[in-house]
Every structure is written in structure tokens, then in C-alpha cells.
Amino acid sequence: MPLVALFTAAIMWILLLFLFNKETAHAPVAVDPAVAASIAKDYPTIGDQIYHQGNPATGAIACAGCHGANGEGGAGPKLAGNTKLTQDGGLYTHNIVLKGKGGMPAFEGKLDDTQLYAVANYVLHSWGNTIEEPLTPAKVAEGQTKVDPAVLKNRSRFVPEDLKLPEIWLTTFIIVLLTYGLIGLYSVWAEGQELHPGIHKVRSTPVATLGIVASAAMTVLFSVLFVRQMNVDYQGWAANEPVMPNVTGEGFYAAMIVLSLAATLALYKKFFMDGEALVEDATGEFPW
């Protein structure tokens, strides 16, 4: 039964990955000739207007409120002379304006294509920033596989912004089946399939001793790394230009602490702690 539970969880995991990948796959960029033709002449005026005034009718706030009237920065990062914005021809800038990042809201749906490209090009051609040619939909479509690694990481994130009911259902059952299966495997490994009355003496082996020492050392190591990562993230968050915390790193170290501690306790139960079974009663056993 534990293996059946784990096998079923694996199938559900594959289905879950399919759903998540479908959610996080970015739609192809539509190359509108009208937008492309107007970009070069419109961005100095429309881009300037959107940057400093926003679009109140759709709820698009002005960029200058966070990044400064001259891109000097403030609540948001400095834009003036920021080479990260121009190093890939402006693809990174377009994606941030479209999808948002950290405390910056997404402007997708709040600005039309003309306004999006206008404000992106305004930033890419102001305050010392420059690119060879204006950013166009054709360039964005061509460079979708060449964008900044941070953008690719955001696009391929495991958990989409909105969890839907099928995904929640699958995730819940995967957790239940994994828990059931792992507890079952551990029970068979630690105590066997049948419990016989009496005191069961156990004797540790050199390999078991090495294993418990190694797992305990890993618990300490990952605890130190977790605390260090939390400290780095806290300092980055409190900096003048806030840096988003590395939630993935924090979660990985926390998970490894739990797993290594569980391995330590399991080895202790199996090889270092005597067990006692008073009676052999099938009704008291787990259903595996």
C-alpha cells in the first residue's frame, strides 16, 4: 500500500506540473504593424506623459512617483544610467513594465500596447540610457528566449500567481498520499510488517553510527545556512534599494533541516532505541 500511494502521488505530480506549466507559459507577442510604426515618433511624448502622469482612467500610476521625475530613484530603483535596463536591448525593461516585479505593479491591462512600448522606450532613451534602435514588438517576439535569466526564472516559477481549484485539489491529495506512503515505508523499515510480543533489542552498527552523526551534522549545517540566508535577505530588504528576499533558498534550507532531522530520528529509532510490543493485535496496526 505505501508504494501504491507513492505511485499515485507521482502521477498526480505529473498532472500538476502540466497544469502549472500551462499557467506559466507566456503567450506569444503579437506584432502589430501600427504599434511598431508609431513607436519611434510617439515615445518622446506619450512615454513622457505616462511616466510622469500615469493613466488615471485605467488605474495606471505614474512611474515618477517611485522612480523620481528624472529617474533618480526613490521608493523604486534608480533608472538613470541603469545598464541592466539596456543590456539586452530593452527586453528586460519591457517585461518589468508589463508583468511588474517586487513592489512594482504590473501595467498589463492598464496600458495599451502603444503606451507600454512608449513608456518603456522613454525609459530606455532617457537620463543617459540608450539602445541602438527603439524597442518594438518584433524585437520582443524575437528575443523571448534571450531575456534576462531573472525574467526566465519568474516566468518558469513553480507556483503561478493564481491557484485554481484543480491545482489545489491535486496538491492536497499529493501531500496526503506522500505522507501516507512515507509513514508506511518508515513503519515497515523501522518495525517490520508484523509486531511480535516481547522486548526487541537493537544493536547499532558502525554504518548506522556514521549515518546518524552525518545526518545530525547536516541538520546543524543547514540550520546555519538558513539563519545566514535570513540575515542576508533581511539586510537586502532594508537597503536603500531593496532587494527581494531569496524565498527559494530559505525554503530549501528549511526543508533540508526538516529532512535531515527526520533522518536522524529515524536512524535512532531503528538502530539505537529498544522497542517493546506487549501484544500482537492486528487491529492496532496501520492499514498497510
Side-chain angles (χ1 to χ4, degrees):
M1 288 299 292
L3 294 178
V4 173
L6 293 175
F7 179 75
T8 306
I11 294 177
M12 288 187 172
W13 181 271
I14 294 173
L15 293 175
L16 189 66
L17 288 179
F18 173 78
L19 290 177
F20 281 167
N21 184 64
K22 183 179 179 181
E23 291 291 335
T24 57
H26 53 277
V29 175
V31 180
D32 187 342
V35 173
S38 67
I39 286 175
K41 64 183 181 65
D42 286 346
Y43 84 77
T45 54
I46 297 178
D48 179 274
Q49 178 185 358
I50 295 297
Y51 184 87
H52 289 97
Q53 300 176 23
N55 187 357
T58 59
I61 62 175
C63 309
C66 294
H67 297 286
N70 298 303
E72 68 273 18
K78 178 182 178 182
L79 303 181
N82 189 339
T83 57
K84 187 175 183 179
L85 301 177
T86 59
Q87 64 184 358
D88 58 0
L91 299 176
Y92 174 78
T93 302
H94 173 267
N95 190 78
I96 295 301
V97 174
L98 188 69
K99 299 295 184 181
K101 182 179 181 180
M104 177 174 169
F107 287 90
E108 186 175 17
K110 296 181 179 180
L111 298 176
D112 59 31
D113 283 348
T114 299
Q115 293 170 327
L116 281 168
Y117 281 96
V119 73
N121 276 290
Y122 178 78
V123 171
L124 292 168
H125 292 86
S126 302
W127 319 302
N129 298 330
T130 182
I131 56 176
E132 292 183 2
E133 299 177 1
L135 181 68
T136 64
K139 287 188 177 181
V140 174
E142 179 184 358
Q144 278 187 326
T145 59
K146 305 175 184 178
V147 293
D148 186 88
V151 178
L152 290 177
K153 181 179 179 181
N154 181 59
R155 285 178 174 173
S156 61
R157 61 191 182 277
F158 179 75
V159 180
E161 293 179 354
D162 298 313
L163 285 175
K164 297 179 175 60
L165 187 59
E167 297 157 352
I168 296 174
W169 186 87
L170 282 173
T171 303
T172 302
F173 272 86
I174 287 172
I175 294 173
V176 171
L177 290 171
L178 281 177
T179 303
Y180 180 91
L182 292 175
I183 291 178
L185 291 179
Y186 169 75
S187 176
V188 172
W189 174 73
E191 300 177 345
Q193 294 184 356
E194 296 181 1
L195 295 178
H196 301 284
I199 297 177
H200 301 274
K201 296 288 185 180
V202 296
R203 294 292 182 269
S204 63
T205 64
V207 175
T209 302
L210 178 62
I212 198 170
V213 170
S215 60
M218 288 177 62
T219 303
V220 175
L221 172 62
F222 285 115
S223 297
V224 172
L225 292 175
F226 176 76
V227 172
R228 180 183 177 185
Q229 184 66 55
M230 290 290 290
N231 184 52
V232 170
D233 290 343
Y234 176 78
Q235 292 179 355
W237 187 256
N240 292 331
E241 294 187 8
V243 178
M244 292 299 294
N246 186 354
V247 178
T248 302
E250 295 173 3
F252 172 76
Y253 293 138
M256 293 307 298
I257 292 171
V258 174
L259 291 176
S260 56
L261 183 59
T264 303
L265 296 176
L267 289 170
Y268 176 77
K269 166 71 175 177
K270 175 72 175 179
F271 296 104
F272 294 88
M273 187 175 75
D274 293 341
E276 181 178 3
L278 299 179
V279 294
E280 184 175 2
D281 183 3
T283 62
E285 298 174 0
F286 286 105
W288 40 66

